[in-house]
Amino acid sequence: MSIKILKGNIVYSETSKKLKTCYGYLVVDGELIEGVYETLPECYQDYEVKDLGDRIIIPGLYDLHLHAPQFPYRGLGLDMQLMEWLDTYAFPTEARFSDLEFAEKYYDRFVQEMAKNGTCRAVIFSSIHSESTKLLMNKMEQYGVGGFVGKINMDMLCPDYLNEGTDKSLEDTERWILETKDKYDLVKPCITPRFIPTCSSGLLQGLGKLANKYNLATHSHISEDIDEMKIVHDRYPELDSDGEVYDKFGLLTNRTVMAHCIYPTANEMDLLKIRGVTIAHCPQSNGNVAAGIPPIRKMLNKGINIGLGSDISGGYSLCIFRAMSEAVYLSKLKWLESKKKDDFLSVAEVFYMATKAGGKLFGNVGSFEKGYIFDALVLDDSNFYVDQENLTIEERLERIIHLGDDRNIVQRYVSGKKY
Ligand code: GUN
Ligand code: FE
């Protein structure tokens, strides 16, 4: 038995409705949560207690959608809508990751920045290049950022310099899967068609088979943009939506995460729910590339699991506190747009999305309930105080969500280990 005991203000979610809070003790056995206690049980009296004072302990934050090779131009080139933005900014930047020296420099910085911003696990698009994708996976294991990484696939409607060709795309992907699937403790490969427009039906079919053969997670974009959806509709006029196209090729499972879903049809929402797909809501990106405001409340009401993503570099910030804050903000615009019918999101709901809902994809992570794997952040919000203000723990968390950043994160644990 390897017992670790932290004492402080503990906050986590069991449900999306209400935060669980406790000033007390978090007991961890190895990498698993043993329990949260107001008074330390007799049997732990002889163990050392790490007293964190007035600091706040929360579960790890999870970023369910971002593009590592777009990191070099975060905060730049956000003056266009999606399809033009891809051609002008995203594709040329991603092409640079064929160069391993360039990739080494940027991926090292990228993963360190994710860690600094409190991301414990993430679902990441790399570029089409297997070698630099492996480099990215190595860095994640090294710096303690877990999750899924995808060498992406494209065989049409992209510049020639990024067009892999169908057979080569599938062969390279399978080779890379075999090289990486058992290599790491924290990181796994994941099937990553960029989105339907850049993937032929043959490629999507082959990727569906690989996802099934190796029991892998799948990650892509869904129903993000009107122009994108028109391309899909023209190619598959007999199908209802992006969701039906992915489903036709076996790419919607309970191991699938799809970014955005701004314009889902009613059938598509039902399908996502039936298949157990998780949606990555990326509010900052949705505004930046002027894609639209997703109907998050409607999808939650359908029972769809929804986590949060930064979508670097459609989004410019790696900080998942920003995603929480902006999810609340965008939901208020949606509430107005719905004539005040679709309730906006609460702090408890966005915190749940960033922790327990996102964590579901990776296994039992994202909460402090007994048996969960111990991923956690220790937060210090003393920079917000001028005088003793007697805020509740819920109020302090709300303020961190809206005002906090990496400076408020003082410790980060992943799978029981401090990084
Ligand atoms: N759809 C296809 N590629 C991309 C991308 O790089 N970013 C976003 N936001 N949407 C996409
Ligand atoms: Fe994206």
Side-chain angles (χ1 to χ4, degrees):
M1 209 157 73
S2 155
I3 296 287
K4 211 176 359 252
I5 304 174
L6 304 183
K7 183 179 183 198
N9 294 289
I10 300 162
V11 189
Y12 62 103
S13 298
E14 280 181 11
T15 72
S16 63
K17 295 296 164 218
K18 198 172 179 323
L19 297 168
K20 297 278 286 184
T21 64
C22 170
Y23 178 72
Y25 304 85
L26 180 63
V27 179
V28 182
D29 183 358
E31 63 168 24
L32 297 183
I33 305 288
E34 205 287 313
V36 172
Y37 304 99
E38 246 171 67
T39 313
L40 192 63
E42 201 49 47
C43 58
Y44 300 121
Q45 295 293 345
D46 291 339
Y47 291 95
E48 184 200 351
V49 173
K50 286 186 189 149
D51 191 346
L52 297 164
D54 198 30
R55 288 172 168 173
I56 298 173
I57 311 166
I58 64 169
L61 300 180
Y62 304 115
D63 188 339
L64 297 198
H65 177 69
L66 72 167
H67 301 253
Q70 295 179 7
F71 180 70
Y73 74 104
R74 67 206 180 284
L76 299 173
L78 290 166
D79 52 350
M80 291 172 183
Q81 278 190 267
L82 178 67
M83 300 305 278
E84 199 185 356
W85 175 82
L86 287 175
D87 283 335
T88 313
Y89 299 111
F91 292 153
T93 313
E94 291 183 23
R96 301 180 72 183
F97 285 79
S98 62
D99 175 348
L100 286 180
E101 237 175 86
F102 182 82
E104 157 72 35
K105 268 195 296 218
Y106 270 97
Y107 283 160
D108 190 75
R109 184 71 190 282
F110 167 72
V111 179
Q112 290 199 61
E113 285 289 317
M114 266 199 300
K116 195 168 106 184
N117 277 282
T119 295
C120 289
R121 299 172 201 258
V123 193
I124 304 184
F125 268 61
S126 156
S127 58
I128 60 167
H129 313 99
S130 304
E131 291 307 313
S132 54
T133 303
K134 285 188 267 178
L135 218 151
L136 171 62
M137 296 168 97
N138 293 342
K139 298 277 178 200
M140 290 170 67
E141 187 79 8
Q142 179 190 342
Y143 292 119
V145 178
F148 304 132
V149 175
K151 171 225 161 315
I152 68 170
N153 304 90
M154 295 199 267
D155 70 344
M156 64 187 293
L157 226 70
C158 58
D160 287 346
Y161 58 82
L162 288 177
N163 188 327
E164 307 171 280
T166 314
D167 292 344
K168 181 165 185 315
S169 183
L170 291 171
E171 282 160 24
D172 281 3
T173 301
E174 186 157 20
R175 191 176 321 113
W176 159 77
I177 291 168
L178 290 169
E179 285 167 350
T180 57
K181 72 183 175 57
D182 301 316
K183 185 169 176 191
Y184 305 101
D185 290 332
L186 294 175
V187 187
K188 296 282 171 226
C190 132
I191 295 295
T192 312
R194 176 171 213 120
F195 65 159
I196 299 165
T198 56
C199 300
S200 68
S201 53
L203 183 55
L204 291 175
Q205 180 126 36
L207 292 173
K209 284 193 182 141
L210 286 177
N212 187 37
K213 180 172 172 185
Y214 296 106
N215 202 27
L216 297 177
T218 297
H219 179 203
S220 195
H221 300 91
I222 196 166
S223 304
E224 178 183 6
D225 171 90
I226 300 290
D227 296 335
E228 170 263 307
M229 290 160 63
K230 174 147 186 357
I231 295 170
V232 176
H233 181 73
D234 289 347
R235 202 179 295 168
Y236 300 95
E238 72 287 7
L239 297 181
D240 160 75
S241 58
D242 282 19
E244 283 198 0
V245 177
Y246 285 122
D247 196 48
K248 176 183 163 84
F249 298 111
L251 289 161
L252 295 190
T253 71
N254 61 4
R255 307 180 309 278
T256 299
V257 56
M258 285 283 165
H260 310 305
C261 209
I262 297 175
Y263 303 102
T265 66
N267 287 343
E268 195 173 20
M269 284 194 274
D270 289 341
L271 187 59
L272 295 171
K273 167 65 187 158
I274 290 164
R275 296 286 183 261
V277 171
T278 294
I279 293 297
H281 176 34
C282 309
Q284 195 172 72
S285 166
N286 295 163
N288 280 343
V289 299
I293 308 177
I296 298 300
R297 175 63 64 203
K298 282 204 169 67
M299 291 196 277
L300 287 175
N301 288 345
K302 286 266 184 193
I304 296 169
N305 189 48
I306 304 182
L308 296 175
S310 65
D311 197 13
I312 293 291
S313 75
Y316 39 76
S317 170
L318 273 167
C319 179
I320 292 300
F321 291 134
R322 293 279 59 67
M324 288 188 234
S325 175
E326 287 162 17
V328 171
Y329 181 84
L330 219 56
S331 74
K332 290 179 177 166
L333 301 181
K334 196 71 180 171
W335 172 73
L336 288 167
E337 191 188 279
S338 75
K339 309 258 183 308
K340 305 188 181 178
K341 280 215 290 286
D342 294 339
D343 280 348
F344 47 81
L345 299 170
S346 66
V347 166
E349 284 179 306
V350 294
F351 184 75
Y352 176 83
M353 285 181 183
T355 56
K356 191 172 173 182
K360 268 186 203 162
L361 263 185
F362 308 108
N364 253 2
V365 298
S367 180
F368 292 149
E369 293 158 79
K370 186 177 169 65
Y372 270 66
I373 292 172
F374 181 55
D375 286 0
L377 302 178
V378 176
L379 307 176
D380 186 325
D381 61 348
S382 54
N383 59 325
F384 299 140
Y385 289 90
V386 176
D387 199 351
Q388 186 51 256
E389 293 176 30
N390 294 321
L391 297 183
T392 65
I393 186 74
E394 287 90 345
E395 286 171 324
R396 288 172 61 189
L397 182 72
E398 178 174 14
R399 187 153 68 177
I400 291 169
I401 286 172
H402 293 306
L403 296 184
D405 58 31
D406 57 279
R407 290 167 295 184
N408 300 101
I409 299 169
V410 292
Q411 289 174 23
R412 193 178 66 97
Y413 291 86
V414 179
S415 280
K417 187 169 163 199
K418 191 161 145 192
Y419 285 93

